[in-house]
Amino acid sequence: MSAGIDGTWYDAHATFYGDMSGGETMKGACGYGNLFEQGYGLQTAAISTALFNNGFACGACFEIKCVNDPQSCIKNAGSIKVTATNFCPPNFDKPSGNWCNPPQKHFDLTMKMFTTLAPYKAGIIPVQYRRVPCTKIGGVKFEIKGNPFWLLVLVYNVANAGDVSSVSIKGSKTGWLPMTHNWGQNWNAKSNLVGQALSFQVTTSDGKRVEFDNVAPPQWQFGQTYQAKNNF
């Protein structure tokens, strides 16, 4: 099962980046901003090419546990749950230690998450992971950016599957318009919808589609975030 929730445990490795405050883990290749303000906090990971799916995996949630390394794995540490919020890029310039190169599955965790599983000096640990439902508070959020002729919408705070596979937008004077996947979880439309109330249809990787009616009022503004009443 390549998409949606999957209870099977798979093998991978994990490292960490940044410090305990997580400053270096903000923003990133999924298009999210301040991860604390957006509800992701330090429970995040940058994922390798094999998992990133050209950004479509952004927002997916993973349960991860340290395995098969008694020297490094903290005894009875249990598991952590993280959201994919960034990309761990491959490096083809050096001969070894390229953990994020295809086809390897790799999680570059925040220091806080890594040190829950192993001491920071371990550096890299063998892990197992599985896709799990994302737990969110409140409705899906839509951050509107761009300009009148090129609308860019970041979709986040998505529950359950968490990762978005398609988005459509509707103004109060239009029908449904498919949006184009731009990067991370940013989606764009080339129609001028200024002055119209905005509705969205969002489909997640498990195939579930939910409609969010009149999320943004007719007087919506660029740079603002609008929250739907419902979620997945």
Side-chain angles (χ1 to χ4, degrees):
M1 183 172 162
S2 61
I5 311 303
D6 182 355
T8 308
W9 289 97
Y10 298 98
D11 293 321
H13 283 86
T15 49
F16 69 90
Y17 68 120
D19 58 20
M20 289 300 275
S21 71
E24 291 176 38
T25 66
M26 298 296 123
K27 299 185 178 178
C30 287
Y32 305 126
N34 184 319
L35 298 173
F36 292 107
E37 292 178 0
Q38 292 174 334
Y40 299 104
L42 293 172
Q43 292 76 37
T44 64
I47 55 177
S48 62
T49 302
L51 297 167
F52 192 63
N53 192 19
N54 293 318
F56 282 99
C58 290
C61 293
F62 299 89
E63 184 179 5
I64 301 172
K65 57 186 179 182
C66 186
V67 295
N68 305 328
D69 188 353
Q71 296 292 118
S72 297
C73 300
I74 295 173
K75 195 174 180 183
N76 302 321
S79 62
I80 58 170
K81 186 175 168 183
V82 297
T83 304
T85 57
N86 205 352
F87 177 49
C88 183
N91 183 346
F92 300 107
D93 294 336
K94 57 179 188 169
S96 62
N98 302 312
W99 299 106
C100 289
N101 285 18
Q104 298 179 94
K105 294 174 177 176
H106 190 86
F107 295 86
D108 205 9
L109 302 168
T110 61
M111 190 177 184
K112 169 75 172 166
M113 288 293 97
F114 184 91
T115 55
T116 303
L117 299 176
Y120 79 91
K121 65 178 184 290
I124 181 165
I125 53 172
V127 297
Q128 288 187 327
Y129 75 92
R130 63 180 176 180
R131 280 284 304 274
V132 292
C134 300
T135 305
K136 299 296 174 194
I137 297 169
V140 173
K141 294 183 178 181
F142 301 85
E143 182 184 355
I144 302 176
K145 300 171 283 188
N147 61 59
F149 305 100
W150 195 79
L151 193 67
L152 191 67
V153 178
L154 172 68
V155 184
Y156 69 100
N157 202 51
V158 180
N160 281 313
D163 51 343
V164 174
S165 55
S166 70
V167 182
S168 293
I169 190 170
K170 182 167 75 76
S172 42
K173 299 172 187 171
T174 73
W176 286 106
L177 308 166
M179 300 188 80
T180 304
H181 178 245
N182 195 283
W183 64 280
Q185 280 303 355
N186 280 297
W187 299 77
N188 73 270
K190 293 179 180 175
S191 302
N192 187 343
L193 299 172
V194 172
Q196 299 184 48
L198 302 180
S199 301
F200 297 91
Q201 280 179 348
V202 177
T203 305
T204 45
S205 63
D206 56 356
K208 185 176 181 183
R209 187 174 78 176
V210 175
E211 195 167 304
F212 303 94
D213 292 323
N214 300 317
V215 176
Q219 64 275 23
W220 61 265
Q221 299 289 317
F222 290 104
Q224 296 298 308
T225 298
Y226 299 91
Q227 185 166 12
K229 293 183 175 69
N230 49 330
N231 210 318
F232 287 83

